[in-house]
C-alpha cells in the first residue's frame, strides 16, 4: 500500500531484510520516525536518539551488569514508594508504550506526560498512544498539568498535582538534566534510564540505568514481578547498598576497557 494513502498498516520497517545485521537498530529508528510523522515526537528527539545510540555502541549494545544492579535498585525503590510516577516523553511513547503501561501496573505507578517542547496536540497524541497500549489513566495532559516545579523555567515545569508534584519517586528516560536536578532538589528520588553516563541527568539522578530503554523496560518488568514478593526489609537493604556514583564509574571503566580491547 502506498504511504501517501495514509494507511497505518504501511511501514518502511517491512522494507528491512530479515538478515540485515542492523535490523533491530533500524526498527528502533523507524519507530522514532513514525512518532515524528504522527506528531508526538519532535525533530530534536531524533537527535537525542542518535546521541544515545552512539553510547549504546560503546557498551556493546547489551545490558551490562552495572545496568542490572541499577535496575534491581530501581525496582526496589519503586516498590517502596508511596507515590511512584513514570514520566513519559515522545521518544518513550514511540519506543516502549506497552512496557510503560505494564511496568506501571506492576509497581502501582501513575503515568504522566511531561515534555520540553510541549503542545496540547503532542500531549493528546502521547496520551492516545499510551491508552492504546492499555493505560487507564494518563496525567499531565491539558489542564491537568496545572502545577509547577519550582526554579524550573522550561515547559517541563508544568506537572500534574496528582502525579509528579506529589511523587516521591519519578522514573524518566531520554531526559534533559535540568528537570532531574529540580526534582532532586524537591526531595524526590529520580530513576533515570540514560545511555550516556556523562550526562547531567545521569549524574543528578538517584539511580541511573545506563542502558537502552528498549532493553531496560522488559528487565524492569521482569524484576518487578519477581521482587513484589520481597519483604520491605529486603527491598530497603537493596536500596541501601546501591551507590549511583559507583555504577557510573563502573560503566565508564567498562567503556574505556572495551575501547582499548577493540582498538588493538
Amino acid at each position: 500500500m502506498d504511504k501517501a494513502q495514509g494507511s497505518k498498516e504501511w511501514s518502511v520497517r517491512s522494507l528491512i531484510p530479515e538478515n540485515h545485521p542492523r535490523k533491530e537498530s533500524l526498527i528502533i529508528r523507524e519507530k522514532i520516525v513514525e512518532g515524528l510523522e504522527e506528531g508526538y515526537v519532535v525533530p530534536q528527539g531524533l537527535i537525542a536518539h542518535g546521541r544515545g545510540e552512539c553510547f549504546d555502541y560503546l557498551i556493546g549494545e547489551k545490558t551490562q551488569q552495572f545496568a542490572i544492579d541499577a535496575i534491581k535498585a530501581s525496582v526496589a525503590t519503586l516498590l517502596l514508594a508511596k507515590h511512584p510516577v513514570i514520566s513519559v516523553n515522545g521518544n518513550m511513547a514511540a519506543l516502549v508504550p506497552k512496557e510503560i503501561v505494564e511496568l506501571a501496573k506492576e509497581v502501582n505507578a501513575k503515568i504522566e506526560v511531561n515534555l520540553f517542547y510541549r503542545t496540547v496536540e503532542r500531549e493528546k497524541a502521547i496520551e492516545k498512544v499510551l491508552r492504546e497500549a492499555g493505560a487507564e489513566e494518563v496525567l499531565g495532559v491539558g489542564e491537568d498539568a496545572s502545577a509547577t516545579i519550582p526554579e524550573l523555567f522550561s515547559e517541563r515545569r508544568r506537572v500534574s498535582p496528582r502525579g509528579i508534584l506529589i511523587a516521591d519517586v519519578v522514573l524518566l528516560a531520554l531526559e534533559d538534566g535540568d528537570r532531574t536536578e529540580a526534582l532532586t532538589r524537591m526531595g524526590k528520588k529520580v530513576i533515570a534510564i540514560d545511555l550516556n553516563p556523562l550526562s547531567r541527568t545521569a549524574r543528578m539522578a538517584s539511580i541511573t540505568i545506563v542502558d537502552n530503554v528498549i532493553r531496560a523496560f522488559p528487565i524492569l518488568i521482569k524484576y518487578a514481578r519477581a521482587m513484589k514478593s520481597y519483604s520491605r526489609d529486603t527491598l530497603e537493604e537493596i536500596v541501601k547498598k546501591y551507590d549511583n556514583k559507583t555504577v557510573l564509574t563502573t560503566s565508564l571503566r567498562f567503556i574505556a576497557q572495551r575501547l582499548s580491547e577493540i582498538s588493538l
Side-chain angles (χ1 to χ4, degrees):
M1 182 177 292
D2 187 78
K3 186 178 178 183
Q5 294 177 312
S7 171
K8 288 187 177 181
E9 297 300 318
W10 187 94
S11 173
V12 73
R13 281 186 252 171
S14 63
L15 302 177
I16 302 171
E18 286 294 325
N19 62 347
H20 194 290
R22 301 295 304 162
K23 181 185 177 184
E24 184 177 359
S25 176
L26 291 174
I27 288 175
I28 292 172
R29 293 181 199 179
E30 289 305 324
K31 287 181 178 179
I32 296 287
V33 172
E34 288 169 9
L36 176 68
E37 292 172 345
E38 293 178 15
Y40 57 88
V41 172
V42 292
Q44 293 85 349
L46 275 67
I47 297 170
H49 174 74
R51 181 176 59 192
E53 190 173 50
C54 172
F55 280 93
D56 207 7
Y57 289 163
L58 296 178
I59 64 170
E61 296 178 282
K62 294 179 181 178
T63 300
Q64 303 297 340
Q65 185 58 48
F66 49 79
I68 295 294
D69 293 342
I71 285 171
K72 290 179 181 178
S74 298
V75 170
T77 300
L78 287 165
L79 290 171
L80 288 168
K82 291 183 179 179
H83 302 289
V85 174
I86 300 175
S87 179
V88 181
N89 61 19
N91 282 30
M92 287 175 68
L95 294 175
V96 285
K98 292 180 180 179
E99 291 83 356
I100 290 168
V101 174
E102 197 167 344
L103 179 62
K105 290 178 180 177
E106 294 293 337
V107 299
N108 196 29
K110 298 285 188 182
I111 299 172
E112 179 170 339
V113 176
N114 185 272
L115 304 169
F116 187 90
Y117 300 98
R118 183 187 285 272
T119 65
V120 174
E121 291 75 19
R122 282 192 74 204
E123 293 169 357
K124 290 182 177 179
I126 292 172
E127 178 185 23
K128 181 174 182 289
V129 170
L130 292 169
R131 287 191 180 278
E132 288 176 349
E136 296 179 2
E137 181 181 45
V138 180
L139 304 179
V141 179
E143 294 181 0
D144 185 59
S146 58
T148 56
I149 298 173
E151 299 180 42
L152 189 63
F153 303 102
S154 73
E155 283 295 287
R156 282 199 183 278
R157 73 186 185 279
R158 295 173 52 195
V159 295
S160 170
R162 300 180 295 129
I164 290 172
L165 184 69
I166 63 169
D168 51 351
V169 176
V170 180
L171 185 152
L172 48 82
L174 311 170
E175 170 81 17
D176 55 324
D178 61 339
R179 187 170 69 116
T180 301
E181 186 173 2
L183 292 172
T184 301
R185 283 199 303 266
M186 292 175 72
K188 302 178 189 299
K189 291 184 178 180
V190 178
I191 300 167
I193 305 173
D194 194 334
L195 276 161
N196 179 3
L198 297 170
S199 72
R200 261 179 80 212
T201 299
R203 299 200 164 277
M204 292 304 303
S206 312
I207 301 172
T208 303
I209 302 168
V210 182
D211 200 14
N212 194 317
V213 292
I214 290 287
R215 295 192 300 271
F217 263 91
I219 301 173
L220 281 162
I221 293 164
K222 182 184 78 171
Y223 276 100
R225 288 172 177 163
M227 293 169 64
K228 281 196 295 186
S229 62
Y230 288 13
S231 69
R232 187 171 187 87
D233 286 345
T234 300
L235 294 173
E236 288 175 347
E237 188 65 21
I238 292 170
V239 174
K240 183 179 177 181
K241 288 181 178 179
Y242 180 82
D243 184 82
N244 204 49
K245 184 177 180 181
T246 298
V247 164
L248 293 176
T249 298
T250 302
S251 68
L252 287 168
R253 286 176 177 169
F254 176 88
I255 290 171
Q257 182 178 346
R258 186 167 182 274
L259 286 173
S260 178
E261 290 172 354
I262 64 178
S263 64
L264 297 176

